[in-house]
Amino acid sequence: MGLGEYEVVTENTDAVAPVIYIGWCRQSSKLLGREASSYSPGEFSMLLTPAGELVLTGHPQHGPLYAVYQFLEQYCGVRFWGANDETVPALQQLELEPFAVTKAPAFAERSVTSASHYGNWTNYFNSKKLTNSGIMKPEEGGTFYASTLAAVSHTAERFVPDEAFFKSHRDFYGADEVFPGSKPEYFALRDGRRLGASEGQPCQTNPEVALAAAANIAKLLRRQGKKYSCVNLTQNDNTNYCQCSNCQAEESRLGNQADLNIAFVNKVAELLQEEFPGMMLETFAYQYTLPPPKTVRPSKYIRVRVCLIEANAAQALDHPSNATFLEWLKGWCEVSENVGVWHYTPNFTNCGLAHPSLTAIPRNMQIFKQLGVKYNFVQDYNNAGDFGWFAVYRDNLSCKTLFNPEIDETAYRRQFFKEYYGLAAKPMFELSRLYDQLGQSSTLPITCYQFDTSHWLPPKQLLQGETLIAEAEAAVEPETPEARRVAMMRLVMDWTRLWRHEHTVLAKLTGSPPVASPEWIAATHAGIGARLASTPRTPGWKGFYTSLGKTYQKHLETLAGYLAPEPKHIKLPVELEGSPFEHLVIIPQARYAVVSGQTAVADYKLPEGTAVRLAMKNYIWAMRIDLPTLLNTGEWEILFEARFPDAVTSPEGKVAIGGVYAYGTNFAVKTEIPIMAEALSNQRYTLISLGTTDFSRDGQIYLAATNNVSAQEILVGRFFLRKRCN
């Protein structure tokens, strides 16, 4: 068929082949032998007859769009790599044999958040045949989230707010809206006190709470005037569920926390049906509600989103390391026909590190389809542009398998790399496969929270990756798209090499030598900020390089603290004198992450002369020290120095809580060691033990406030790690 300008005419015009029929008319129906009403959502057809008539159509909502984009990619060689990155071949003639192709999606909802999925990205969005968007109109492709009230996560605080939350979110409620009112009993009871709306969860056995939630939702539905079909009523992002006597009794009677949550959302959905018939509510199976309910079943108005956070990203769900997650997902699919998944593919803690999640993505999609999952949301990292481990390929792979999980991923990757990296395809492919294999052979899970790569990426293979990147750089011409794409992965490899425990005080724990020279570390660290700043910015770029919302400048400050050398031995506490050098680590103060407003102060009572003043007000963490996963370290005791400032004169009771938090969402382990007033003094520093760690999981040493009015501040000196010897 010839390529050029085609005249757009009505179907009543006598047309001579070649003719392209886009959408529905009498001739397209005749040629296909089908009507528009016979197509399911997302289904589309492409037909080329021997006479040169081309039909591109499908389900009326998006089928014709999907058919056009599929034709451009499959037969014309157009590639939509990202929102701002396309390849359009200069074709003069297109020779095609007749064909008839019909495709339908594997999932009703196909949603992705990644760097390319924000901003003015309608073309890219539709080229990937996705259904999600909170900002796109339904006619542009935004079906699920454009029709959902509060199309965000963790919304319980929105629908059961306290006055503080309500006043700080007037954009959601409306400037003239009056606070609907609440009572302390609407919120979780923990440790003898009622939490605020954002601190914990609603009390789900208080009948007034379901009434309040339904009333607030109904008011918002009326006010916003949209034809919503679903409301996102999901638990807040914490594990502080209510422990009042009624909630504890109901949990014992019904089975578990998921039973309480499903009973609650069932009631809210029931209350909405009279005014809003058919209204769906989406809730989460997440953290403490991830195990499926034992006795309560979701009503037909409930959509359950199973959040698979903390699954081993390097392995598919049918791998033994993910057995519990697969069991839970199967359990939810057995009790509900409206199951969705929230699937995580990046490393949120440090998005620029190597992260071997690619191979598991298509297999997981196949499992979701086999289990009957309808709604599929993939959360990638979206705030840092294309900075990430094969970020563009990972995004394209997720989109591809959301529509069709049954692809040959190896063949797809080879072809993608050939077209995307050009002459550098071979070393880039080998790099991606090498690190996938290393991730799959790891003895410890690789989750979406990783501080560094030491536990799964051996130094030899890290340097092998450096060699492959160098080969790729040598293969491409400068100032070409392929060169820029390879340079992005060079940046990722340099970032990965910088964030290694072998370059920090923690090298003593494993006895590992550095994987780079001091000169390389200094030069790369000094220059990498400018390289990060110059990376291509996708429409949704925010400059955040961790899930904590750190800009790259702040992230570089964290890296500087991570690389800080061990303080010199000036004078050790008496209890540590005589400890062998290799059995004792002094953590530099540059690694302390303290709450905003805490300050370093001069203190002659410390050998180093500087302490950190911590405010111990409220019930929040005052400081933490991040610890990566490490192999074969043995047990190490955590100790720190503390005293009261001179202004604290009559302290009593529990002044702080400290310990180790083994990082996690579903499987977090937290030790809590009380620090009592009688253990500290104003005159000298006391050495306090916070227990031990074996570094088998990413974790944090923490100190938390107890809001003790008699001791609202403490001074903290050095933190130590001491090897425990049998």
Side-chain angles (χ1 to χ4, degrees):
M1 59 187 296
L3 298 179
E5 293 186 4
Y6 279 71
E7 183 182 1
V8 179
V9 300
T10 66
E11 66 174 309
N12 294 323
T13 305
D14 291 333
V16 179
V19 180
I20 302 176
Y21 300 101
I22 298 177
W24 288 98
C25 63
R26 288 189 299 272
Q27 185 66 2
S28 59
S29 297
K30 178 181 177 181
L31 291 171
L32 288 169
R34 294 181 65 177
E35 299 295 331
S37 59
S38 70
Y39 280 74
S40 60
E43 186 180 8
F44 66 90
S45 290
M46 302 183 297
L47 173 69
L48 180 63
T49 70
E53 296 173 292
L54 176 63
V55 180
L56 302 172
T57 192
H59 186 273
Q61 189 172 29
H62 300 118
L65 269 175
Y66 293 171
V68 169
Y69 281 109
Q70 183 71 25
F71 177 77
L72 290 174
E73 289 202 77
Q74 186 170 342
Y75 296 106
C76 301
V78 177
R79 295 292 180 264
F80 301 95
W81 308 114
N84 298 323
D85 192 1
E86 300 174 356
T87 298
V88 181
L91 301 178
Q92 299 299 320
Q93 188 74 15
L94 188 62
E95 298 292 338
L96 297 174
E97 295 296 324
F99 58 79
V101 176
T102 294
K103 296 178 180 290
F107 306 101
E109 178 208 4
R110 303 173 301 283
S111 307
V112 178
T113 59
S114 74
S116 293
H117 290 241
Y118 284 81
N120 184 21
W121 42 270
T122 306
N123 281 350
Y124 180 75
F125 174 89
N126 284 319
S127 75
K128 301 306 178 187
K129 307 177 187 67
L130 304 176
T131 61
N132 75 313
S133 171
I135 61 173
M136 289 179 67
K137 299 174 183 178
E139 60 267 23
E140 295 175 326
T143 53
F144 273 84
Y145 289 146
S147 60
T148 300
L149 177 63
V152 292
S153 56
H154 312 303
T155 60
E157 60 191 0
R158 291 173 179 254
F159 299 126
V160 188
D162 57 15
E163 191 167 8
F165 184 89
F166 182 86
K167 286 182 176 179
S168 62
H169 292 78
R170 302 313 298 265
D171 57 324
F172 182 70
Y173 300 103
D176 60 342
E177 187 68 36
V178 177
F179 177 56
S182 66
K183 301 175 182 178
E185 294 77 19
Y186 284 11
F187 308 109
L189 179 69
R190 303 282 295 200
D191 299 325
R193 72 180 184 97
R194 292 285 178 177
L195 305 182
S198 301
E199 288 182 280
Q201 309 293 340
C203 176
Q204 294 185 320
T205 61
N206 182 340
E208 293 184 35
V209 175
L211 292 170
N216 292 335
I217 290 170
K219 186 183 295 185
L220 286 162
L221 288 170
R222 295 185 210 109
R223 181 184 185 89
Q224 298 196 20
K226 287 187 177 181
K227 300 294 182 181
Y228 290 116
S229 59
C230 185
V231 177
N232 194 328
L233 179 55
T234 53
Q235 68 205 56
N236 297 327
D237 199 5
N238 60 65
T239 58
N240 294 325
Y241 54 84
C242 187
Q243 294 181 330
C244 71
S245 57
N246 286 341
C247 285
Q248 289 181 332
E250 279 297 276
E251 182 180 358
S252 296
R253 184 179 72 86
L254 297 175
N256 61 23
Q257 281 292 321
D259 286 290
L260 266 66
N261 183 56
I262 295 300
F264 173 73
V265 294
N266 279 350
K267 181 61 177 178
V268 176
E270 177 189 342
L271 292 168
L272 291 171
Q273 294 309 308
E274 182 176 352
E275 185 175 354
F276 306 98
M279 181 63 65
M280 297 288 292
L281 261 66
E282 177 167 312
T283 193
F284 280 170
Y286 175 69
Q287 295 181 329
Y288 60 92
T289 61
L290 186 52
K294 297 182 181 298
T295 59
V296 182
R297 297 295 176 258
S299 78
K300 64 180 180 180
Y301 303 116
I302 301 302
R303 185 162 66 201
V304 180
R305 182 79 61 175
V306 182
C307 303
L308 300 169
I309 200 166
E310 279 194 302
N312 183 0
Q315 300 284 5
L317 286 176
D318 53 2
H319 185 267
S321 64
N322 286 324
T324 300
F325 290 98
L326 182 59
E327 178 186 354
W328 287 340
L329 179 58
K330 286 180 177 178
W332 280 106
C333 291
E334 289 169 0
V335 301
S336 174
E337 295 181 355
N338 295 309
V339 173
V341 293
W342 192 306
H343 184 209
Y344 306 79
T345 58
N347 175 6
F348 292 115
T349 299
N350 196 337
C351 71
L353 296 181
H355 188 65
S357 64
L358 300 176
T359 302
I361 292 172
R363 178 58 189 144
N364 282 336
M365 296 296 186
Q366 294 167 8
I367 292 170
F368 299 152
K369 181 182 178 182
Q370 292 164 5
L371 293 178
V373 168
K374 292 182 179 178
Y375 315 105
N376 198 330
F377 174 64
V378 178
Q379 184 176 1
D380 207 315
Y381 199 74
N382 56 276
N383 291 327
D386 291 337
F387 180 56
W389 183 248
F390 291 103
V392 173
Y393 175 70
R394 189 170 64 203
D395 176 48
N396 277 266
L397 178 63
S398 294
C399 294
K400 185 81 171 179
T401 53
L402 277 169
F403 197 90
N404 175 25
E406 307 300 331
I407 69 167
D408 180 338
E409 194 273 329
T410 299
Y412 176 70
R413 192 185 305 196
R414 284 189 189 279
Q415 185 63 29
F416 186 100
F417 279 37
K418 179 181 179 181
E419 297 178 5
Y420 190 69
Y421 292 113
L423 295 175
K426 184 176 183 294
M428 297 301 280
F429 180 86
E430 290 178 3
L431 173 63
S432 69
R433 296 298 283 183
L434 171 65
Y435 281 27
D436 277 349
Q437 291 162 5
L438 291 170
Q440 290 175 330
S441 63
S442 172
T443 58
L444 295 173
I446 301 172
T447 71
C448 59
Y449 299 114
Q450 301 287 298
F451 290 127
D452 80 6
T453 58
S454 301
H455 71 284
W456 67 268
L457 180 54
K460 179 180 178 181
Q461 283 75 19
L462 173 66
L463 298 178
Q464 188 177 347
E466 293 281 323
T467 300
L468 290 168
I469 282 289
E471 288 180 21
E473 290 172 323
V476 294
E477 292 294 328
E479 304 302 322
T480 61
E482 293 79 11
R484 289 192 292 272
R485 293 161 184 167
V486 171
M488 179 61 68
M489 285 306 300
R490 158 60 76 186
L491 177 59
V492 171
M493 285 300 298
D494 287 350
W495 187 257
T496 299
R497 195 176 178 190
L498 277 175
W499 283 89
R500 294 284 294 198
H501 89 280
E502 294 97 333
H503 305 150
T504 76
V505 297
L506 300 182
K508 195 181 295 186
L509 278 65
T510 60
S512 303
V515 293
S517 68
E519 293 77 16
W520 184 93
I521 294 170
T524 305
H525 186 213
I528 206 164
R531 293 163 65 192
L532 282 170
S534 64
T535 56
R537 301 183 180 186
T538 53
W541 185 89
K542 296 180 181 178
F544 294 161
Y545 287 79
T546 76
S547 58
L548 301 176
K550 286 184 180 178
T551 63
Y552 69 85
Q553 294 96 336
K554 289 293 184 183
H555 207 22
L556 286 170
E557 292 176 13
T558 303
L559 175 59
Y562 195 66
L563 297 173
E566 187 173 21
K568 294 180 180 179
H569 290 270
I570 302 173
K571 179 176 174 54
L572 293 174
V574 173
E575 299 91 332
L576 299 180
E577 290 179 354
S579 298
F581 171 78
E582 65 275 13
H583 289 178
L584 188 67
V585 174
I586 305 175
I587 299 176
Q589 285 189 3
R591 289 190 68 145
Y592 299 4
V594 298
V595 174
S596 178
Q598 313 311 316
T599 55
V601 296
D603 191 350
Y604 70 92
K605 295 179 179 179
L606 274 175
E608 291 185 305
T610 304
V612 176
R613 186 188 299 272
L614 298 180
M616 307 306 288
K617 301 175 182 178
N618 301 315
Y619 296 89
I620 60 175
W621 281 19
M623 67 164 291
R624 74 174 195 277
I625 300 171
D626 294 335
L627 303 175
T629 302
L630 299 173
L631 294 176
N632 305 318
T633 65
E635 290 277 334
W636 289 73
E637 185 179 12
I638 301 161
L639 306 108
F640 77 104
E641 301 166 310
R643 77 173 181 92
F644 288 123
D646 295 341
V648 176
T649 56
S650 302
E652 59 182 6
K654 184 165 57 178
V655 298
I657 298 172
V660 178
Y661 177 79
Y663 203 81
T665 301
N666 304 303
F667 301 108
V669 176
K670 182 180 179 182
T671 61
E672 296 187 353
I673 296 176
I675 299 165
M676 308 304 294
E678 53 266 30
L680 304 181
S681 73
N682 305 98
Q683 288 72 39
R684 63 180 181 84
Y685 278 85
T686 302
L687 190 67
I688 298 173
S689 175
L690 293 179
T692 63
T693 180
D694 64 0
F695 292 88
S696 61
R697 291 174 59 180
D698 280 22
Q700 296 161 332
I701 303 168
Y702 75 93
L703 289 176
T706 60
N707 204 29
N708 184 329
V709 296
S710 72
Q712 298 262 295
E713 289 184 339
I714 63 172
L715 295 174
V716 171
R718 295 168 293 181
F719 275 77
F720 304 91
L721 298 173
R722 179 172 62 180
K723 188 173 180 62
R724 296 287 296 270
C725 299
N726 295 330

